[in-house]
């Protein structure tokens, strides 16, 4: 079981602009080049921060969504928030707050050998890293710059640096960078795929 932060980022390192908009990302047709289907197939549980969840609620899954869609995840999903947030009856959404280690222990158990996906945002991924629980970072770089916004991973990770596992061109526009988090001891787990 691995805990993986899988996201898309602008070239200058933002996963959303300062208004939480991702129109700059959605402008690209998938074109059948996305790695998402193979990625989600190995996920047993996922988690996200409240702003990511609220963005989904507002745009896609809430009653007033501009572009309504079904709850997109078959896997149990943990939403981190200090507030009480709404939940759709057809979704397996569970709420958590505080130390990520508490929720992670349950996510790992529920995932039953499959991986845990940290959807974002960047600080939540940073909390998993702070706790020594983040194993991999997979960032798809999108050929735009935003100037400012929500950073991909607002932490200083320099020593040991991240270990590059692979670089994949995804269609005509995207580049996917796959990193493994090295532990202080230098004993990073071996990657289980290219
Ligand atoms: N480019 C991509 O692929 C991609 C992927 C994911 C997300 N996004 C976008 O990126 C943006 C991320 O927003 P964001 O950086 O503000 O992050 P976020 O993680 O979505 O939300 C942060 C909020 O989550 C709550 N939270 C986080 N950790 C918590 C903890 N341990 N305990 C309790 N509550 C906790 C806090 O709010 P409260 O306590 O007030 O609820 C915190 O302010 C969103 O707009 C999202 O749509 C983009």
């Amino acid at each position: 079981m691995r805990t993986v932060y899988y996201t898309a980022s602008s070239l200058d390192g933002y996963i959303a602009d300062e208004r939480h908009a991702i129109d700059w990302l959605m402008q690209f047709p998938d074109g059948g080049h996305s790695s998402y289907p193979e990625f989600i197939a190995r996920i047993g549980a996922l988690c996200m921060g409240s702003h990511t969840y609220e963005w989904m609620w507002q745009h896609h899954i809430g009653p007033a969504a501009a572009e309504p869609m079904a709850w997109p995840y078959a896997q149990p999903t943990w939403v981190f928030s200090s507030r009480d947030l709404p939940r759709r009856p057809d979704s397996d959404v569970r709420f958590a707050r505080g130390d990520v280690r508490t929720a992670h222990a349950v996510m790992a158990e529920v995932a039953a050998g499959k991986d845990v996906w940290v959807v974002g945002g960047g600080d939540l991924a940073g909390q998993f890293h702070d706790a020594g629980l983040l194993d991999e970072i997979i960032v798809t770089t999108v050929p735009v710059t935003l100037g400012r916004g929500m950073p991909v991973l607002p932490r200083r990770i320099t020593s040991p640096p991240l270990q590059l596992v692979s670089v994949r061109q995804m269609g005509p526009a995207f580049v996917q960078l796959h990193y493994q988090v090295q532990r202080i001891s230098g004993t990073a787990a071996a990657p289980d795929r290219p």
Side-chain angles (χ1 to χ4, degrees), residues 2-72:
R2 290 168 186 279
T3 300
V4 185
Y5 178 35
Y6 173 95
T7 191
S9 169
S10 68
L11 181 61
D12 54 344
Y14 299 107
I15 60 170
D17 73 15
E18 68 270 48
R19 296 173 294 110
H20 289 277
I22 55 170
D23 52 323
W24 50 273
L25 172 60
M26 305 307 283
Q27 71 177 310
F28 293 93
D30 177 280
H33 297 290
S34 170
S35 62
Y36 183 76
E38 71 185 67
F39 173 75
I40 196 68
R42 66 185 183 95
I43 297 301
L46 54 115
C47 65
M48 64 183 71
S50 64
H51 295 160
T52 301
Y53 181 69
E54 287 177 306
W55 186 92
M56 291 175 62
W57 189 269
Q58 184 184 349
H59 291 86
H60 295 303
I61 59 171
E67 300 169 44
M69 62 183 231
W71 176 250

Side-chain angles (χ1 to χ4, degrees), residues 110-122:
V110 167
K114 295 185 114 178
D115 291 345
V116 170
W117 176 20
V118 181
V119 179

Side-chain angles (χ1 to χ4, degrees), residues 22-186:
I22 55 170
D23 52 323
W24 50 273
L25 172 60
M26 305 307 283
Q27 71 177 310
F28 293 93
D30 177 280
H33 297 290
S34 170
S35 62
Y36 183 76
E38 71 185 67
F39 173 75
I40 196 68
R42 66 185 183 95
I43 297 301
L46 54 115
C47 65
M48 64 183 71
S50 64
H51 295 160
T52 301
Y53 181 69
E54 287 177 306
W55 186 92
M56 291 175 62
W57 189 269
Q58 184 184 349
H59 291 86
H60 295 303
I61 59 171
E67 300 169 44
M69 62 183 231
W71 176 250
Y73 306 117
Q75 301 88 340
T77 301
W78 275 255
V79 174
F80 282 86
S81 182
S82 60
R83 296 169 290 133
D84 292 329
L85 298 176
R87 184 177 71 83
R88 269 169 55 144
D90 64 340
S91 66
D92 187 350
V93 167
R94 309 165 190 206
F95 294 101
R97 63 183 64 183
D99 193 329
V100 296
R101 287 174 294 191
T102 307
H104 186 268
V106 185
M107 283 190 278
E109 189 178 337
V110 167
K114 295 185 114 178
D115 291 345
V116 170
W117 176 20
V118 181
V119 179
D123 183 71
L124 183 63
Q127 292 176 52
F128 281 90
H129 183 270
D130 296 343
L133 294 172
L134 192 63
D135 298 305
E136 298 181 12
I137 300 170
I138 302 175
V139 178
T140 298
T141 302
V142 179
V144 301
T145 62
L146 300 178
R148 61 179 75 112
M150 307 297 160
V152 65
L153 186 52
R155 291 294 189 277
R156 183 178 166 88
I157 303 173
T158 59
S159 181
L162 301 171
Q163 181 178 328
L164 184 64
V165 175
S166 66
V167 178
R168 289 171 71 185
Q169 180 169 342
M170 311 291 291
F174 295 172
V175 176
Q176 188 174 81
L177 301 170
H178 179 178
Y179 295 101
Q180 191 165 12
V181 176
Q182 299 190 87
R183 307 292 180 219
I184 298 298
S185 62

